[in-house]
Amino acid sequence: MDVTRLITWLMGVVLIGIGLPLFYLGRYFRAPEDEKKQKARDVQVIAIIWMAAGVLIYLGILISILIAKP
């Protein structure tokens, strides 16, 4: 994969990463009051899963760096 395609791919990932939370916020604000609590709970669950995945990735990187040190 050349650098241009990699940069384009990364730009797409960033745009999706920004657009997905905005999409859910828009759905939340358009929902009736009784549905807002359920939608907010769903967003919290998704956020916790994403944060846990990020922490696991960072831990994996840190562990691999610490083990790979001579």
Side-chain angles (χ1 to χ4, degrees):
M1 181 180 294
D2 63 339
V3 176
T4 305
R5 286 188 187 204
L6 181 63
I7 290 172
T8 305
W9 184 78
L10 287 174
M11 286 172 40
V13 169
V14 168
L15 289 174
I16 291 170
I18 292 170
L20 189 62
L22 290 175
F23 174 76
Y24 279 108
L25 278 174
R27 281 185 50 196
Y28 172 76
F29 286 129
R30 290 184 60 186
E33 288 298 320
D34 57 338
E35 291 181 21
K36 283 188 178 182
K37 284 186 180 181
Q38 179 63 35
K39 288 186 184 288
R41 189 174 296 122
D42 292 344
V43 169
Q44 278 183 327
V45 169
I46 292 170
I48 290 170
I49 292 170
W50 277 91
M51 286 187 293
V55 168
L56 289 174
I57 289 170
Y58 281 125
L59 286 176
I61 292 170
L62 288 175
I63 290 171
S64 69
I65 289 172
L66 293 175
I67 292 175
K69 275 191 171 180

